[in-house]
Amino acid sequence: MKFIISTLVCLLVYVAPSLAKERPCLVLTADGVKEITTGPKLPLFDKAVNDAKNIVDAAIATGIDVPVPKDMAGGYTHEQHKRNYKHMSLAGALYQITKEDKYADYVKQTLLKYEEIFPTLGKHPAEKSYSRGKLFWQCLNDANWLVYTAQAYDAVYDYLSKTERKKIEDNLLRPYADYISVENPKFFNRVHNHSTWGNAAVGMIGLAINDDELVERALYGLPKDDKENLAYDNDGGFIYENGQAKAGFFAQIDNAFSPDGYYEEGPYYQRYAMTPFMLFASALQNNRPKLNIFAHRDSVLLKAVYALIYQTNEAGEFFPINDAQKGMSIRSLSVISAVDIAYSLNEDKGLLGLAVIQDQVLLDQYGYRVALGISKGDISNTSKKSVQLGDGKDGKQGALTVLRTENGDNDLTLVFKSTGQGLGHGHFDKLGILLYSGSDEVLQDYGSARWVNMDQKQGGRYLPENKSWAKQTLAHNTIIVDGKSHFEGKYKNATGKHSDPLVFDVSDPSMQLAIAADTNAYPGVNLHRTVALINEPAFGSPFVLDLFGAISEEEHTYQMPYQFADRYMTSDPKMQAQPMPIVMGKKHGYQHVYQEAEAEISQSGYSFNWYNHKKFYTITGVSQPGDKLVLARMGANDINFNIRSDAFYLHETKKQKDALFAAIIEPHGTYSYVSEIPNTPTSQIKSIEVLVKTTKYTVVQIVNITETKMLVFISNEKNHETQNHSTKLAGQTYTWTGTHHKLIIN
Amino acid sequence: MKFIISTLVCLLVYVAPSLAKERPCLVLTADGVKEITTGPKLPLFDKAVNDAKNIVDAAIATGIDVPVPKDMAGGYTHEQHKRNYKHMSLAGALYQITKEDKYADYVKQTLLKYEEIFPTLGKHPAEKSYSRGKLFWQCLNDANWLVYTAQAYDAVYDYLSKTERKKIEDNLLRPYADYISVENPKFFNRVHNHSTWGNAAVGMIGLAINDDELVERALYGLPKDDKENLAYDNDGGFIYENGQAKAGFFAQIDNAFSPDGYYEEGPYYQRYAMTPFMLFASALQNNRPKLNIFAHRDSVLLKAVYALIYQTNEAGEFFPINDAQKGMSIRSLSVISAVDIAYSLNEDKGLLGLAVIQDQVLLDQYGYRVALGISKGDISNTSKKSVQLGDGKDGKQGALTVLRTENGDNDLTLVFKSTGQGLGHGHFDKLGILLYSGSDEVLQDYGSARWVNMDQKQGGRYLPENKSWAKQTLAHNTIIVDGKSHFEGKYKNATGKHSDPLVFDVSDPSMQLAIAADTNAYPGVNLHRTVALINEPAFGSPFVLDLFGAISEEEHTYQMPYQFADRYMTSDPKMQAQPMPIVMGKKHGYQHVYQEAEAEISQSGYSFNWYNHKKFYTITGVSQPGDKLVLARMGANDINFNIRSDAFYLHETKKQKDALFAAIIEPHGTYSYVSEIPNTPTSQIKSIEVLVKTTKYTVVQIVNITETKMLVFISNEKNHETQNHSTKLAGQTYTWTGTHHKLIIN
């Protein structure tokens, strides 16, 4: 029965001449192999072939080692089993492309060794996971192994004898697929990125060994067992989040992304999660075209690829919101897979532009087509446009907003976070911002406190300081009320809540605007932040107008941290270092920070000038006499030296019901260590003043050093671009249409 | 009389058809113009032409401004007069190359404006210099102006009428040349890099206006006035150093460089000093070929160009020994001049390799020839070899040693400083080292505490912390005795003294060795340091063997700082941060340092592992039980936040007459933020042990993690490569020839 159904499918796809599937058929296909071997030679694809040959030839020379599982991640047996599946999948592709038997033989011998050892294995000896694997300490890694091994097996299917196939399928592949699914339902039936790997693994094994039941299980999950409802995973998360009705690959697609393709944990984790989605989806496309998987949910998988790309700086590095190690970028193999597969779907030349930067393609027809596109030279830059990506399954659980100018080296990229919490990896930074000048961080997000895979730092796991520092509000660029983190830094307070994006208007390239509000982070305090990227020739380099308002019926201390990292140059008022640094507090991250200097502000404005990576920056802010500036450096109570020694400053206002932190954030100058000439080392802004601040409107006056004035009128509320507004100012009535209006007075 | 002599010279040079000189004749020559205009078009030279056009065309469009002098460096009038001479010299060259009158006219109009203002000028109003200029606050800048204006005048000489020439020469150029020489003998008659500019200025004006007396004055100085002997300049240095018998350009060449072309202040200042040497020398070569200036003193100017190049890391940045701002590199205009002019002298293809990196050439025949060489593609990499450069006029006042391996990305460059003091810009770091892996700093020199030309930081001048921190021994990688800097940090104790290079042997690429001693830094303590670059396949990546011995008849506390910068990963013994940092002392730089952690060493060895810029490093050291490790960070008592927050560690041994800090310094691993895979994150060395330590010999045993042993035999004293040695070890006698011997035991 199984056999007939799968054969029918193959007939529908290929009109195969016999009942046997044409192999390979998973990601790399028989048609794909023809395309590659009969098409022109392409330098980028040849590089992929040669790189793979170097790796696999070396592996063949070293000899096959399939050790008894013993180690955790980083240890020998763990790394060796990872190497084995990578080598097998590359060898499989090489066999198809070069037709050299040695590659097929390598896969066969390796599989037979696994086939021999597998039945002898109990659970992995390490007991750190709620879902212990066989070869690895957690089923996630076993699923990785199966996803790649399925492709390797498929590639050498015709090379194997019937007997060999039966042995490998009966003793290794099918029972292994069963193990990570029916024997580990908590792992397999979750809606979670780990489980997506599980679904993909079982589905791809199913396709590889013609087992439709496995494919069905992968697509729709196991029958749900209600008693699992309240079980926890070993990271402290629920196995099933509230209300999960379905499981399997479709449920993952339906739940993982927002309709805009945003992934709630953020791009660092999305990058990792994309691989099983794209690989299994392309295998389904090649074997179950009727599912039309890439069109599912209004083509959300393709949207997710673009959402991922939009969430990168000029260097292609992901915005390090939530738990993220900085430096992860579009050059990662997961994004190469995503870009290559997506290109076959839409032939977007912008994707070719990305692939040129990646300088690497997949060893299959998807990679080949990208290399072909590049060789034709018909490439455009990926348009990294200003976007707002809705969060949550319905796209209405807040949003991540990205505003970008296009000024070459002076490009500004502003990331504005009014999303949901981001599950267990979320940080407590509602309405936080990150700012880049080109690929340089202007206002940084600390990222995670973790040195991934570095054994010296607690085996590369999340460090205690991830919770005590990196997740805390103080490590971000957003308001702090009464010295406490948003939601008091507690996941249970934060989960299910999101900020409210009110305005996103990028119709005017000279002033792009986003407004969002939050009423959850601090019960009883309404937060409202307006950020605008202003690119006005009369004012030189583009800059950010930042208006952060807080309204409460009680008096509070409000602090606004700016994570400039280094190096304080000068300010007004001047900062003079204290004789000794002081630890700023006991919790909410303050215990990890030294106060190095403070200065009382006696005027209605202040400025703060710094220098970092050959660029000069200034923040010019509105203040009240009695406010203070605090210069701080991270690293206190950091027993194991896990925290970077970066600097930031706080603008603090005390005993206020309402506060408005209004500031210009301005990258204005550069320096060359070769010419030793500073170019515009000081601010081009003389002053900023808030002239009107009502619930409905904000009017700001900005004056530059040549006395040119800019009046900015902003409608604070959700409104349409066609709406008319008017406000009075010094006896004069100003009217405008839309979210904002900007007036230059020379 | 004057006229006849100069005409005769021109006849000797060009066999000119008339008595008039063929113009231009200074750096760019008439023959050079022919070479450029009749030769092939060359992209790199065309770039130079177009860059100059962009600059000068913009200047013409802006209009000429010759303001009354008023400001210090960085201020408008200062910067405008600098711009004017740059624009004039470019415009002059453009006139010669393009024949467009607008460029000559721009020079003419500018000169006439200066001719008008000059007679009205008294001394510059700022009174900060012992030699106040006219257009600038110090004669140095006036000399710069004259060097470039001489070339501009020469380039438009034939375009000017006789009357115009007479006005400009009589009212501006000749009196200006007299001003910076006869009216400022303290400036003009010194042997000093500033005065070299003065000599070049007077000499080039002399050549430009056919005034032989000026040329003679430039070459041989003014008659010396003995009463000036003890005068000070405004940096606190003597006007005449002891025993100066001569002045003028020849005296500069004879005194500025060692026979190897080393400049005693170090490469940062040498780079600046090279320009007047090379420009005036080439003008002399073109007009007084009989002087054979480039051959003078065994071609020391050409040697100086190479010495400069040898003192750079893989990125072409100068070693920041002594007062130096990091990042200054071979891309600076001074080095472009030096490389282009040197190439015409020797046609070294290695210089073309440098020019490719510089990506810019001079707007004259020297630049053209380099562009031509590059276009022919006959380029080689500049062989940055291991060198020892003698210091001092006689080359015997110590030496700077550079050891390099050639391993591509893993290249190690070790700089070993056993030089003289380096005048007022010298740091107190006898026998100090700097280490690079590729272009990454492994053990850094702090450089100077100065932000050159950044107004925010005390106008870009040297900061107080340059003296209190950057110059102190603690900011370097060399031994500290009893918590005091070398020479107690006093210039008067240090000047005239130098360390003694004993051995420099790079004959064996698998082990390059240098040994030096010092008896001056601490009276009563003999210092002896051996550094070896070992590149032994059985031991993986190349590493440094560092043996620093101190011998005294009294007991001392010895500390060895290692400037690793960041980020401590792990160590044995482990470092645990103190609850609060402690300021380490009150002077000698300790007042600027926080102790963050300390750990007592209970064994005969320790290890210290760190991570910086994607690379892993370990120092494996020999210790005695009771020694301690101190982890420290810069930035204490730094009122104006002038000091970087870099980390270092100290290995301390107390109450010892003798000490030997023996260590392996080992860059061994890398990390990728994209793959997140660390490659060799931990040391490949298991242990180091000193088996023999006598006055004559040191024997060290190094064992790696696969238990391969290396025995290193070193003869500690000055000796020849043919000398025979023998030493006993565990009853066995080992014999070898030369400075060292290395034995691998598997």
Side-chain angles (χ1 to χ4, degrees):
Chain A
M1 175 63 181
K2 250 185 254 168
F3 179 70
I4 292 171
I5 292 176
S6 76
T7 310
L8 273 175
V9 170
C10 276
L11 277 173
L12 288 169
V13 186
Y14 295 114
V15 197
S18 79
L19 283 181
K21 268 191 195 180
E22 204 177 356
R23 299 279 180 164
C25 72
L26 285 186
V27 182
L28 176 65
T29 61
D31 282 349
V33 172
K34 268 179 226 137
E35 206 176 321
I36 292 165
T37 49
T38 61
K41 298 264 292 172
L42 302 168
L44 195 54
F45 192 79
D46 287 348
K47 188 158 85 83
V49 173
N50 289 329
D51 288 350
K53 278 184 179 172
N54 288 337
I55 292 167
V56 178
D57 289 351
I60 293 173
T62 307
I64 298 164
D65 184 23
V66 174
V68 175
K70 178 171 80 66
D71 300 328
M72 290 284 295
Y76 176 75
T77 70
H78 181 98
E79 296 303 323
Q80 179 61 19
H81 290 303
K82 275 172 76 175
R83 277 189 287 272
N84 281 343
Y85 73 67
K86 281 179 192 163
H87 296 165
M88 278 195 285
S89 73
L90 289 176
L94 282 177
Y95 169 64
Q96 287 294 338
I97 292 164
T98 68
K99 308 299 179 208
E100 289 185 55
D101 281 351
K102 67 172 178 181
Y103 295 118
D105 197 60
Y106 172 79
V107 177
K108 180 175 100 173
Q109 299 305 338
T110 311
L111 286 171
L112 289 173
K113 287 212 172 182
Y114 274 106
E115 179 268 336
E116 207 172 306
I117 197 176
F118 187 82
T120 72
L121 300 177
K123 282 186 190 295
H124 189 278
E127 299 187 1
K128 297 234 170 182
S129 172
Y130 75 97
S131 62
R132 289 156 66 192
K134 288 272 187 183
L135 295 172
F136 301 93
W137 69 281
Q138 55 174 352
C139 281
L140 169 64
N141 297 114
D142 297 75
N144 296 159
W145 190 94
L146 284 165
V147 162
Y148 289 97
T149 301
Q151 296 175 68
Y153 178 72
D154 174 50
V156 303
Y157 191 90
D158 291 335
Y159 178 86
L160 300 171
S161 69
K162 267 194 173 174
T163 324
E164 287 161 351
R165 288 201 292 254
K166 189 168 163 41
K167 275 175 73 172
I168 292 167
E169 293 185 11
D170 290 353
N171 300 333
L172 174 65
L173 300 181
R174 189 176 289 104
Y176 208 166
D178 286 340
Y179 177 77
I180 67 159
S181 53
V182 289
E183 293 182 51
N184 279 282
K186 286 188 201 169
F187 166 71
F188 190 77
N189 252 16
R190 292 178 78 178
V191 171
H192 187 278
N193 75 69
H194 288 190
S195 311
T196 307
W197 278 100
N199 302 155
V202 170
M204 288 172 79
I205 291 291
L207 293 171
I209 70 172
N210 289 321
D211 185 334
D212 265 16
E213 197 191 306
L214 289 182
V215 178
E216 293 296 299
R217 192 189 298 166
L219 291 176
Y220 305 107
L222 294 162
K224 208 176 140 197
D225 180 352
D226 284 337
K227 73 172 189 289
E228 304 285 356
N229 251 345
L230 290 175
Y232 286 93
D233 70 7
N234 49 299
D235 293 331
F238 287 126
I239 293 296
Y240 300 130
E241 291 286 328
N242 283 347
Q244 180 190 326
K246 294 178 184 171
F249 196 62
F250 277 108
Q252 307 288 2
I253 299 179
D254 291 346
N255 285 282
F257 304 105
S258 78
D260 292 331
Y262 181 77
Y263 186 78
E264 62 188 320
E265 293 180 313
Y268 177 80
Y269 275 94
Q270 180 173 356
R271 169 253 351 158
Y272 181 68
M274 285 305 288
T275 302
F277 279 114
M278 296 303 282
L279 291 181
F280 188 32
S282 62
L284 287 170
Q285 185 66 15
N286 294 332
N287 291 280
R288 300 280 194 279
K290 280 201 164 174
L291 290 175
N292 209 357
I293 191 83
F294 283 111
H296 184 73
R297 217 186 144 205
D298 204 14
S299 303
V300 76
L301 285 180
L302 194 55
K303 286 180 180 169
V305 175
Y306 283 89
L308 196 56
I309 295 167
Y310 293 147
Q311 293 179 77
T312 59
N313 69 10
E314 292 295 306
E317 294 162 346
F318 295 117
F319 303 140
I321 56 170
N322 297 329
D323 283 343
Q325 179 166 277
K326 292 185 186 183
M328 179 55 74
S329 84
I330 55 153
R331 287 173 185 79
S332 89
L333 200 53
S334 349
V335 188
I336 292 169
S337 305
V339 164
D340 287 2
I341 293 170
Y343 178 72
S344 275
L345 297 171
N346 68 2
E347 297 192 350
D348 172 7
K349 292 164 192 169
L351 294 176
L352 295 183
L354 273 179
V356 167
I357 299 169
Q358 292 171 335
D359 197 31
Q360 192 182 337
V361 293
L362 293 179
L363 200 56
D364 58 26
Q365 69 276 7
Y366 304 114
Y368 185 82
R369 287 170 198 157
V370 166
L372 187 65
I374 289 172
S375 78
K376 289 179 180 162
D378 202 4
I379 299 162
S380 67
N381 288 325
T382 317
S383 57
K384 285 193 192 165
K385 52 183 186 181
S386 295
V387 288
Q388 185 164 68
L389 304 168
D391 191 5
K393 189 180 162 183
D394 59 359
K396 291 173 180 172
Q397 313 299 308
L400 188 81
T401 304
V402 184
L403 302 180
R404 297 176 191 270
T405 60
E406 283 180 31
N407 282 59
D409 275 355
N410 294 321
D411 269 1
L412 285 191
T413 305
L414 178 77
V415 183
F416 184 24
K417 194 174 175 231
S418 54
T419 61
Q421 181 59 21
L423 301 179
H425 288 300
H427 286 199
F428 300 102
D429 60 338
K430 287 280 168 271
L431 308 188
I433 60 170
L434 290 74
L435 183 64
Y436 294 88
S437 162
S439 54
D440 295 319
E441 290 178 323
V442 181
L443 294 177
Q444 71 160 335
D445 186 309
Y446 187 88
S448 60
R450 182 188 182 192
W451 309 67
V452 181
N453 291 328
M454 296 196 201
D455 195 50
Q456 297 100 315
K457 291 289 185 188
Q458 297 199 10
R461 297 192 298 279
Y462 284 103
L463 297 165
E465 293 76 13
N466 193 55
K467 197 171 173 213
S468 63
W469 166 248
K471 285 192 171 191
Q472 300 299 320
T473 308
L474 191 59
H476 301 84
N477 301 290
T478 185
I479 203 163
I480 301 170
V481 181
D482 298 330
K484 290 180 184 167
S485 284
H486 297 179
F487 304 104
E488 299 201 359
K490 291 178 183 161
Y491 178 66
K492 69 177 172 48
N493 297 348
T495 186
K497 308 222 175 70
H498 62 84
S499 305
D500 299 306
L502 299 175
V503 174
F504 171 67
D505 182 356
V506 295
S507 57
D508 172 7
S510 81
M511 179 164 162
Q512 302 179 58
L513 183 78
I515 305 179
D518 191 278
T519 55
N520 301 310
Y522 295 107
V525 186
N526 288 348
L527 305 178
H528 186 280
R529 190 172 203 169
T530 301
V531 289
L533 264 193
I534 298 181
N535 192 2
E536 176 59 52
F539 274 64
S541 302
F543 59 84
V544 174
L545 171 62
D546 181 22
L547 303 166
F548 203 136
I551 296 177
S552 177
E553 297 192 350
E554 314 284 329
E555 284 191 346
H556 296 285
T557 294
Y558 294 103
Q559 291 177 316
M560 187 64 210
Y562 298 96
Q563 306 286 341
F564 69 92
D566 251 321
R567 164 62 43 177
Y568 168 76
M569 293 297 273
T570 189
S571 60
D572 179 15
K574 275 257 187 323
M575 311 297 291
Q576 283 225 328
Q578 300 160 187
M580 279 298 291
I582 298 162
V583 180
M584 286 190 72
K586 299 206 164 168
K587 44 191 176 176
H588 295 287
Y590 289 85
Q591 73 276 28
H592 288 304
V593 173
Y594 293 116
Q595 174 175 314
E596 296 195 322
E598 68 166 49
E600 194 175 299
I601 306 176
S602 58
Q603 296 179 300
S604 60
Y606 77 90
S607 71
F608 189 95
N609 172 262
W610 76 93
Y611 174 77
N612 202 0
H613 285 120
K614 304 186 196 174
K615 292 187 181 171
F616 295 97
Y617 307 92
T618 299
I619 289 181
T620 306
V622 175
S623 57
Q624 303 192 48
D627 285 5
K628 68 176 182 182
L629 296 182
V630 174
L631 189 54
R633 191 169 288 279
M634 308 164 190
N637 288 304
D638 178 20
I639 299 170
N640 294 308
F641 300 95
N642 289 337
I643 302 178
R644 294 195 303 272
S645 307
D646 294 344
F648 64 96
Y649 83 89
L650 288 166
H651 173 192
E652 178 181 297
T653 189
K654 273 190 169 169
K655 293 190 182 168
Q656 305 288 333
K657 288 186 175 171
D658 302 346
L660 176 62
F661 293 100
I664 303 288
I665 309 166
E666 179 201 8
H668 48 72
T670 55
Y671 185 77
S672 158
Y673 286 101
V674 173
S675 73
E676 296 189 329
I677 296 172
N679 175 16
T680 326
T682 53
S683 172
Q684 300 301 289
I685 303 293
K686 187 181 162 195
S687 68
I688 165 175
E689 198 179 342
V690 179
L691 303 180
V692 172
K693 176 66 186 167
T694 66
T695 311
K696 289 189 82 166
Y697 299 119
T698 305
V699 182
V700 178
Q701 176 180 277
I702 304 164
V703 184
N704 74 8
I705 51 170
T706 60
E707 298 292 343
T708 302
K709 280 183 191 168
M710 181 189 293
L711 285 177
V712 180
F713 302 84
I714 298 168
S715 160
N716 296 328
E717 297 171 313
K718 201 157 193 155
N719 69 87
H720 300 289
E721 288 177 20
T722 55
Q723 211 155 328
N724 292 318
H725 303 283
S726 81
T727 189
K728 277 199 176 167
L729 192 66
Q732 203 180 330
T733 301
Y734 292 84
T735 62
W736 72 95
T737 305
T739 63
H740 65 277
H741 180 57
K742 178 163 56 70
L743 208 61
I744 304 291
I745 306 164
N746 278 301
Chain B
M1 174 64 183
K2 251 187 250 165
F3 179 72
I4 293 170
I5 291 174
S6 76
T7 312
L8 272 175
V9 169
C10 275
L11 278 173
L12 288 169
V13 185
Y14 294 114
V15 197
S18 79
L19 284 181
K21 266 191 195 178
E22 203 177 356
R23 300 280 181 165
C25 72
L26 286 187
V27 180
L28 177 63
T29 61
D31 282 349
V33 172
K34 268 179 228 140
E35 204 176 321
I36 293 165
T37 50
T38 60
K41 299 264 292 171
L42 302 168
L44 195 53
F45 192 78
D46 287 350
K47 188 158 86 82
V49 172
N50 290 328
D51 288 350
K53 279 184 178 171
N54 289 337
I55 293 167
V56 178
D57 290 351
I60 292 173
T62 306
I64 297 164
D65 184 22
V66 174
V68 175
K70 180 170 77 67
D71 300 329
M72 290 284 296
Y76 177 74
T77 69
H78 181 98
E79 296 301 323
Q80 179 60 20
H81 291 302
K82 274 172 73 175
R83 279 189 286 272
N84 282 343
Y85 75 66
K86 281 179 191 162
H87 297 165
M88 280 196 285
S89 74
L90 290 176
L94 283 177
Y95 169 64
Q96 288 293 340
I97 292 164
T98 69
K99 306 301 178 206
E100 289 186 57
D101 282 351
K102 68 173 178 181
Y103 294 118
D105 197 59
Y106 172 77
V107 176
K108 180 174 101 173
Q109 300 303 337
T110 310
L111 285 172
L112 288 173
K113 287 213 171 181
Y114 273 107
E115 177 269 333
E116 208 173 306
I117 198 179
F118 188 80
T120 72
L121 300 176
K123 281 186 189 297
H124 189 278
E127 300 186 0
K128 297 234 168 180
S129 172
Y130 74 99
S131 63
R132 289 155 66 193
K134 288 274 185 181
L135 296 171
F136 301 93
W137 69 282
Q138 55 172 353
C139 281
L140 169 64
N141 297 113
D142 297 74
N144 296 159
W145 191 94
L146 284 166
V147 162
Y148 289 97
T149 301
Q151 297 175 67
Y153 179 71
D154 174 49
V156 302
Y157 191 90
D158 291 335
Y159 178 85
L160 301 171
S161 69
K162 266 195 174 173
T163 324
E164 288 161 351
R165 290 201 292 252
K166 189 167 164 38
K167 277 174 71 172
I168 292 167
E169 292 186 9
D170 290 353
N171 300 333
L172 176 64
L173 301 181
R174 189 175 289 105
Y176 209 166
D178 285 341
Y179 177 78
I180 66 160
S181 52
V182 288
E183 294 182 49
N184 279 281
K186 285 188 201 171
F187 166 70
F188 190 76
N189 252 17
R190 291 177 78 179
V191 171
H192 187 278
N193 77 68
H194 289 189
S195 311
T196 306
W197 279 98
N199 302 153
V202 170
M204 289 171 80
I205 291 292
L207 293 171
I209 69 174
N210 289 319
D211 186 332
D212 265 15
E213 196 191 306
L214 290 182
V215 178
E216 294 296 300
R217 193 188 295 166
L219 292 175
Y220 304 108
L222 293 163
K224 208 178 145 198
D225 179 353
D226 283 339
K227 73 174 188 286
E228 305 283 359
N229 251 346
L230 291 173
Y232 286 94
D233 70 7
N234 49 298
D235 292 331
F238 288 123
I239 293 296
Y240 300 131
E241 292 284 328
N242 283 349
Q244 180 190 326
K246 292 179 187 171
F249 195 63
F250 276 108
Q252 307 288 2
I253 300 179
D254 291 345
N255 285 281
F257 304 106
S258 77
D260 291 332
Y262 181 76
Y263 186 77
E264 63 188 319
E265 293 181 315
Y268 177 79
Y269 274 93
Q270 178 173 359
R271 168 255 348 158
Y272 181 68
M274 284 307 286
T275 302
F277 278 114
M278 296 303 280
L279 291 181
F280 188 32
S282 62
L284 286 169
Q285 186 67 18
N286 294 331
N287 291 277
R288 299 279 194 279
K290 279 201 164 172
L291 290 176
N292 209 357
I293 191 82
F294 283 112
H296 184 74
R297 218 186 143 203
D298 203 14
S299 303
V300 76
L301 286 180
L302 193 57
K303 285 181 180 166
V305 174
Y306 283 89
L308 197 56
I309 295 165
Y310 293 147
Q311 291 179 75
T312 59
N313 68 11
E314 291 295 305
E317 294 162 346
F318 296 116
F319 304 138
I321 55 168
N322 296 330
D323 282 344
Q325 180 166 276
K326 293 184 185 184
M328 178 56 73
S329 84
I330 56 152
R331 288 172 185 77
S332 89
L333 200 52
S334 351
V335 188
I336 292 169
S337 304
V339 165
D340 288 4
I341 293 171
Y343 177 71
S344 275
L345 296 171
N346 68 2
E347 299 193 346
D348 172 8
K349 291 164 191 167
L351 294 176
L352 295 182
L354 273 180
V356 167
I357 300 168
Q358 292 172 334
D359 198 30
Q360 192 183 338
V361 293
L362 293 179
L363 200 56
D364 58 27
Q365 69 276 6
Y366 304 114
Y368 185 82
R369 288 171 197 158
V370 166
L372 187 65
I374 290 172
S375 78
K376 290 180 180 163
D378 201 3
I379 299 163
S380 66
N381 288 326
T382 316
S383 57
K384 286 196 194 161
K385 52 182 187 181
S386 296
V387 287
Q388 185 164 67
L389 302 168
D391 191 5
K393 191 181 160 183
D394 59 359
K396 292 175 179 169
Q397 312 299 309
L400 189 81
T401 304
V402 183
L403 302 180
R404 299 176 188 271
T405 60
E406 283 180 32
N407 282 58
D409 276 356
N410 294 321
D411 268 2
L412 286 192
T413 304
L414 177 76
V415 183
F416 184 24
K417 195 176 175 232
S418 55
T419 62
Q421 181 58 21
L423 299 180
H425 288 300
H427 286 198
F428 299 102
D429 60 339
K430 287 281 166 270
L431 308 188
I433 61 170
L434 291 74
L435 182 64
Y436 294 88
S437 162
S439 55
D440 295 319
E441 290 178 322
V442 181
L443 294 177
Q444 71 163 335
D445 186 308
Y446 186 87
S448 60
R450 183 188 182 191
W451 309 65
V452 182
N453 291 326
M454 294 196 200
D455 196 48
Q456 297 101 313
K457 291 288 185 190
Q458 298 200 12
R461 295 192 299 280
Y462 283 104
L463 297 165
E465 292 78 13
N466 193 57
K467 199 173 170 212
S468 63
W469 168 247
K471 285 192 172 191
Q472 299 300 320
T473 308
L474 191 59
H476 300 86
N477 302 291
T478 184
I479 204 166
I480 301 172
V481 180
D482 297 331
K484 290 181 185 167
S485 283
H486 296 179
F487 303 104
E488 300 203 357
K490 291 179 183 160
Y491 178 65
K492 69 175 168 58
N493 296 349
T495 187
K497 307 218 176 73
H498 62 84
S499 305
D500 299 305
L502 299 176
V503 173
F504 171 67
D505 181 355
V506 296
S507 56
D508 172 7
S510 83
M511 179 166 164
Q512 302 178 58
L513 183 77
I515 306 178
D518 190 276
T519 54
N520 300 308
Y522 294 107
V525 185
N526 288 346
L527 305 178
H528 185 280
R529 190 171 204 169
T530 301
V531 290
L533 266 192
I534 298 180
N535 192 1
E536 175 60 52
F539 274 65
S541 303
F543 59 84
V544 174
L545 170 63
D546 180 22
L547 303 166
F548 203 137
I551 296 178
S552 175
E553 296 192 349
E554 314 285 327
E555 284 191 347
H556 297 283
T557 294
Y558 294 103
Q559 291 178 318
M560 187 65 211
Y562 297 96
Q563 305 287 340
F564 70 92
D566 250 324
R567 167 59 44 177
Y568 167 77
M569 295 296 274
T570 189
S571 60
D572 179 15
K574 274 256 187 327
M575 311 297 292
Q576 282 225 329
Q578 299 160 189
M580 279 299 290
I582 298 163
V583 180
M584 287 190 73
K586 300 205 163 168
K587 45 190 176 177
H588 295 287
Y590 289 85
Q591 73 275 28
H592 289 304
V593 173
Y594 293 117
Q595 174 176 314
E596 297 194 324
E598 67 165 50
E600 192 174 303
I601 306 175
S602 58
Q603 295 179 302
S604 61
Y606 79 90
S607 72
F608 189 96
N609 174 263
W610 75 94
Y611 174 77
N612 202 1
H613 286 120
K614 306 185 192 172
K615 293 187 181 172
F616 296 97
Y617 307 93
T618 299
I619 289 181
T620 307
V622 174
S623 57
Q624 302 192 49
D627 286 3
K628 70 176 180 180
L629 295 182
V630 173
L631 189 54
R633 192 170 287 278
M634 306 163 193
N637 289 303
D638 177 21
I639 299 171
N640 294 307
F641 300 96
N642 289 336
I643 301 178
R644 293 195 304 272
S645 307
D646 295 344
F648 65 96
Y649 83 89
L650 287 167
H651 174 193
E652 179 181 296
T653 190
K654 273 188 170 172
K655 293 193 183 167
Q656 304 287 334
K657 289 188 177 172
D658 302 346
L660 175 63
F661 293 101
I664 301 290
I665 311 166
E666 181 201 7
H668 48 71
T670 56
Y671 185 76
S672 159
Y673 286 100
V674 173
S675 73
E676 295 188 330
I677 297 171
N679 175 15
T680 327
T682 51
S683 173
Q684 299 302 290
I685 303 292
K686 187 181 164 196
S687 68
I688 165 177
E689 197 179 342
V690 179
L691 304 180
V692 174
K693 175 67 185 166
T694 66
T695 312
K696 289 189 82 165
Y697 299 118
T698 305
V699 182
V700 177
Q701 175 179 278
I702 305 165
V703 183
N704 74 6
I705 51 171
T706 59
E707 298 291 345
T708 302
K709 280 184 192 167
M710 182 190 292
L711 284 178
V712 179
F713 300 84
I714 297 168
S715 159
N716 296 327
E717 297 171 310
K718 200 155 193 156
N719 68 87
H720 300 288
E721 289 178 19
T722 54
Q723 211 155 328
N724 293 318
H725 301 283
S726 82
T727 188
K728 276 199 175 169
L729 192 67
Q732 202 180 332
T733 301
Y734 292 84
T735 61
W736 72 94
T737 305
T739 63
H740 64 277
H741 180 58
K742 181 163 54 68
L743 207 62
I744 304 291
I745 306 163
N746 278 301

